[in-house]
Amino acid sequence: MTSVFLMSCFSYSNLNAQQYLPSAEAAPGEDTLSFWDIPVLKKAYFDASPNKRMDGIPVGQLGVNGGDKTMILKLAEEMSEGKHGNFDGLLIAHKGQLLFEYYGLRGRINLPHPQASATKTYTSLALGRAIQMGYLTMADLNKPLVSFLDELDPSKFVAGAELITLKNALTMTTGIRIPREQWEAFRNNPEQIKGQQEVQAILEHSEPITKASQKFLYGTGPGLIMQVIETVVPGSAKDFIKRELLDKLGITNYQWQTAPSGLPEAGWRTSMTSRDMIKWGTLARNRGKWNGEQLIPASFIETAIHRIVRESDDENFTDTGDVMNIGYGYFWWQADLKVGNKSYFSTSAQGGSGQYIVLIEELDLMVVTTVHRLEKSVLQLIADRILPAFIPTSSKEHLQYPPLEDRYLGQNPPGLTPELFAPGIVSTEAYVESRGDFSPDMTEFYFTRYGGEYKPSTLFVTKYENGAWSEAVDLGTDLNPYRDRFIPGWSEMKRQAPYKDLDVHGLSVSANGTYYLDEYTPEGDGPLRVARLINGEREAPKLAPEVINTGKWVAHPYIAPDESYLIFDVEREGDHGADIYISFRQPDGSWGTAVNMGVQINTGLYDQSPRVTPDGKYLFFWKGEEKQREDGSKYLVGSPYWVDARIIETFRAKQ
């Protein structure tokens, strides 16, 4: 029997006075009812020491293994009184252990709950599983979606249909626009949308698709992704999802309905238990691993759960209360949750009315909710009532400081106009400070100083420890640190250059381990090169294409984790000194024409060494000028600048 707490019977501090209720198991016969016919519980059940149920989910005790027990139990009592909407379930996991379960109203521990649009996230992970098994590659995400479907008649497509990539479908930026009446016509004529005819019908009846129209529009994408899964995996998508995901996760008590196309629903109409939602969240938390097996590529998860779409006219992107900077990845939502004066990045699966799987990586926290009528934003409730219960005491004293203090050296964030970074701390008048680089987990910041006692250039690091940044430490004059992988934890910082026969000054690594590197030569004709990691083996560096390697001093590349864009500096005709350029990956996998990033970034000085912070929020670069010594020799003086990374998207349409 599962022990649960009836909070109205004891004070929050008298935790020994617990009264026990029967477990939150479904009563006989309830498992045969539709969700809306399940009787409403007269009393809510909640447990701050969940039982092990042999379902692969580790459990612990709230308060003992993390969290403020009093705060969470008070919230649970309020939920049981209906103060926050119709919550059917609330589960909290911390550091990989389930610490709290709540079931009320129609919620049951062993009954699946309708998921609504959280289904989209499960569809995204199914595509990731197909990539892990080799039926697709990460590079395929940039290919035209129609290239994977062999039963279509392209001659009937509207103009621009070939512009839709798998990535567009995953981010709902397809450009597909179909009148509501046409969708009704599809539903009234289901034979027209069986199998791949669904895609044929959509691409015949959409408005023409252009790069300008490929903006976020909620709903345009999940069905297309399921069509590709159906095509590329052996057997059916239904069997593949069951065999390769649900069975491996131990999910047996679920419903996954069939769409009019005959394929599994991709955007809604699934049902999962709250504990099984914890499993989906754990798969993302562990970067695609379950019980030691890599089910989904870590690089896919890393991209999926971070912001790709950052701005939209869609009402879902509107900041409200303490929920800010809304973004969208591969069917995952992102938002910064403000607690006091500090923000915590969250990524979440979201289903209408409140079916949420929310991950807050900085706190190693997962919150799962099921709701059937919501009065307040789930994310706002988490920011108000759950995050404060898990913020370490040593960190709470910093909540009165300016936003982003913990990861940006106390600096107020810039907008779309570049600003000097950390004046007086990193940027000083006494030395030349060159490119600033954060470690992948953003607990270390590296920069170089030149001048005065620092000849030659000397590498420094400051570390975020015990809630504060340390004094900068001199690491010596070996200026070639690098990592083998982009993802935190995959590689320690290395000091030996990876290629002895190349004088590498700049190296960037994508999420799948591909190197992008430059080569210094006295003549300035060193090109950028690319070295992929294939089956664990590093290929020899190959020249980047001519659209990149044009001009002199092509150097300091930065590759986006998903390789969707490449930023670098170069001296080209008409530029004054080095300017920073950007090239975007095209639907066919090629690189688009490199675009000068304009007067906001390039100001007539030497603008070099672009880097985007690991959280994707800010673009850093170095800006300097040439000066002359008394003996006639020349040298550069400059400092790092930063700007909101949203500036990057303003150049996409200029290619």
Side-chain angles (χ1 to χ4, degrees):
M1 182 176 294
T2 303
S3 59
V4 291
F5 302 136
L6 176 59
M7 284 306 303
S8 59
C9 294
F10 64 96
S11 70
Y12 307 120
S13 59
N14 186 12
L15 298 179
N16 293 321
Q18 300 165 359
Q19 294 198 7
Y20 298 102
L21 295 174
S23 70
E25 302 279 350
E30 287 185 353
D31 58 343
T32 65
L33 301 176
S34 71
F35 173 77
W36 294 105
D37 291 331
I38 295 173
V40 171
L41 291 171
K42 294 180 180 179
K43 295 180 180 179
Y45 304 92
F46 37 102
D47 192 343
S49 182
N51 280 0
K52 293 188 69 173
R53 297 179 64 87
M54 306 304 292
D55 56 4
I57 298 176
V59 298
Q61 297 182 47
L62 184 65
V64 175
N65 300 111
D68 187 316
K69 189 173 183 178
T70 299
M71 294 173 69
I72 298 301
L73 293 181
K74 186 176 188 301
L75 172 62
E77 184 182 27
E78 293 174 6
M79 285 183 170
S80 71
E81 295 170 354
K83 292 183 179 180
H84 299 285
N86 289 354
F87 271 82
D88 300 306
L90 168 67
L91 277 65
I92 303 175
H94 181 54
K95 296 184 178 179
Q97 291 183 310
L98 179 63
L99 303 185
F100 179 77
E101 283 184 285
Y102 169 100
Y103 297 96
L105 302 176
R106 293 187 172 90
R108 304 292 191 274
I109 195 169
N110 61 336
L111 288 186
H113 191 287
Q115 297 293 285
S117 288
T119 302
K120 295 177 174 64
T121 300
Y122 309 149
T123 299
S124 168
L125 296 177
L127 186 75
R129 180 60 178 152
I131 293 174
Q132 178 67 30
M133 297 188 70
Y135 301 123
L136 292 167
T137 68
M138 290 291 291
D140 287 336
L141 299 181
N142 294 305
K143 293 181 180 179
L145 184 141
V146 295
S147 68
F148 299 96
L149 306 176
D150 55 6
E151 298 176 11
L152 305 180
D153 182 357
S155 68
K156 297 181 180 179
F157 290 167
V158 297
E162 73 284 352
L163 295 177
I164 304 172
T165 64
L166 288 178
K167 181 177 179 179
N168 289 135
L170 285 167
T171 56
M172 302 209 204
T173 56
T174 62
I176 292 170
R177 300 293 186 271
I178 294 179
R180 184 180 299 274
E181 312 83 68
Q182 186 59 58
W183 286 117
E184 290 293 333
F186 290 158
R187 282 190 283 270
N188 293 332
N189 186 13
E191 290 303 315
Q192 186 181 0
I193 55 174
K194 289 294 183 184
Q196 292 185 23
Q197 288 306 302
E198 177 187 44
V199 183
Q200 183 75 43
I202 289 171
L203 296 182
E204 286 184 19
H205 292 88
S206 173
E207 296 177 9
I209 295 162
T210 66
K211 288 188 176 181
S213 74
Q214 288 187 305
K215 296 181 179 179
F216 182 90
L217 180 63
Y218 192 74
T220 58
L224 300 178
I225 292 297
M226 190 61 76
Q227 288 280 358
V228 172
I229 295 172
E230 174 80 9
T231 300
V232 302
V233 302
S236 67
K238 177 181 178 181
D239 291 342
F240 176 80
I241 292 170
K242 178 182 183 301
R243 180 180 66 251
E244 295 299 336
L245 275 179
L246 297 169
D247 287 354
K248 288 183 178 294
L249 295 175
I251 297 176
T252 59
N253 187 8
Y254 70 94
Q255 297 169 12
W256 198 310
Q257 298 193 44
T258 302
S261 65
L263 277 60
E265 287 283 9
W268 66 320
R269 298 178 73 204
T270 64
S271 295
M272 302 279 168
T273 69
S274 294
R275 280 204 171 206
D276 286 340
M277 293 170 74
I278 288 283
K279 294 180 181 181
W280 289 107
T282 300
L283 190 60
R285 171 190 178 266
N286 293 342
R287 295 302 190 267
K289 279 189 177 181
W290 181 260
N291 287 338
E293 182 182 0
Q294 194 75 48
L295 298 185
I296 298 171
S299 57
F300 181 88
I301 296 287
E302 184 70 17
T303 303
I305 64 176
H306 285 91
R307 295 180 181 96
I308 298 173
V309 180
R310 295 178 60 90
E311 292 182 340
S312 173
D313 296 330
D314 191 283
E315 62 181 9
N316 289 305
F317 282 74
T318 303
D319 293 352
T320 57
D322 296 321
V323 181
M324 303 169 294
N325 298 324
I326 311 299
Y328 199 69
Y330 292 166
F331 298 161
W332 286 83
W333 289 94
Q334 296 80 41
D336 293 335
L337 307 184
K338 187 178 180 184
V339 183
N341 288 319
K342 176 177 166 52
S343 293
Y344 292 87
F345 174 78
S346 72
T347 189
S348 53
Q350 297 186 11
S353 294
Q355 324 325 314
Y356 278 49
I357 305 170
V358 185
L359 303 176
I360 301 95
E361 187 171 28
E362 184 173 341
L363 299 175
D364 201 355
L365 184 67
M366 184 192 316
V367 180
V368 162
T369 63
T370 51
V371 188
H372 68 268
R373 180 176 59 80
L374 192 62
E375 293 182 357
K376 191 176 185 180
S377 160
V378 166
L379 294 180
Q380 182 65 56
L381 183 67
I382 291 173
D384 288 345
R385 303 298 299 277
I386 297 178
L387 290 192
F390 287 87
I391 296 173
T393 302
S394 61
S395 299
K396 290 183 179 179
E397 60 183 308
H398 299 286
L399 295 184
Q400 76 262 27
Y401 292 164
L404 306 178
E405 161 124 23
D406 66 328
R407 289 297 181 267
Y408 295 101
L409 283 69
Q411 306 303 294
N412 289 320
L416 294 176
T417 299
E419 297 179 9
L420 188 66
F421 180 68
I425 302 173
V426 172
S427 304
T428 61
E429 295 182 1
Y431 313 109
V432 178
E433 276 81 24
S434 190
R435 53 181 262 198
D437 274 338
F438 281 99
S439 63
D441 60 3
M442 299 195 68
T443 61
E444 301 170 358
F445 184 75
Y446 293 84
F447 61 96
T448 59
R449 281 179 176 164
Y450 176 76
E453 68 268 40
Y454 300 117
K455 295 180 181 179
S457 294
T458 304
L459 182 67
F460 281 79
V461 63
T462 175
K463 297 184 178 183
Y464 185 73
E465 299 171 327
N466 301 318
W469 287 93
S470 68
E471 291 291 328
V473 176
D474 181 340
L475 294 180
T477 59
D478 180 357
L479 304 183
N480 290 308
Y482 73 99
R483 294 178 188 264
D484 281 335
R485 298 287 194 280
F486 172 87
I487 299 171
W490 276 26
S491 172
E492 294 298 320
M493 188 68 75
K494 299 183 178 182
R495 302 300 300 275
Q496 178 63 45
Y499 297 102
K500 295 181 179 180
D501 56 339
L502 298 176
D503 189 357
V504 177
H505 280 207
L507 183 149
S508 182
V509 190
S510 71
N512 64 11
T514 300
Y515 284 170
Y516 286 74
L517 61 152
D518 61 14
E519 178 189 5
Y520 171 80
T521 66
E523 297 78 20
D525 57 358
L528 291 190
R529 290 183 169 88
V530 182
R532 296 180 299 164
L533 190 65
I534 302 176
N535 297 323
E537 298 292 331
R538 177 78 54 195
E539 69 175 1
K542 298 179 180 179
L543 290 177
E546 187 177 356
V547 292
I548 306 297
N549 284 322
T550 297
K552 294 191 65 177
W553 308 106
V554 188
H556 307 121
Y558 169 79
I559 185 64
D562 62 354
E563 299 189 52
S564 59
Y565 62 84
L566 175 68
I567 316 179
F568 58 97
D569 55 75
V570 60
E571 291 185 16
R572 291 188 173 178
E573 186 175 353
D575 296 341
H576 176 74
D579 275 1
I580 295 175
Y581 282 71
I582 186 169
S583 174
F584 291 90
R585 183 81 72 177
Q586 302 302 295
D588 63 1
S590 65
W591 287 107
T593 302
V595 177
N596 187 297
M597 293 191 75
V599 295
Q600 283 183 287
I601 302 295
N602 300 310
T603 56
L605 301 175
Y606 284 85
D607 304 291
Q608 299 177 323
S609 301
R611 285 292 183 275
V612 176
T613 52
D615 58 10
K617 293 181 179 179
Y618 300 101
L619 169 64
F620 275 70
F621 61 98
W622 183 85
K623 185 183 297 292
E625 59 181 325
E626 189 175 66
K627 293 195 174 185
Q628 185 168 315
R629 299 183 181 91
E630 292 182 0
D631 63 3
S633 61
K634 296 179 180 180
Y635 64 103
L636 293 175
V637 175
S639 292
Y641 283 70
W642 62 328
V643 65
D644 194 308
R646 288 179 298 173
I647 198 171
I648 291 172
E649 288 303 313
T650 65
F651 295 97
R652 190 180 295 274
K654 297 181 181 181
Q655 285 204 321

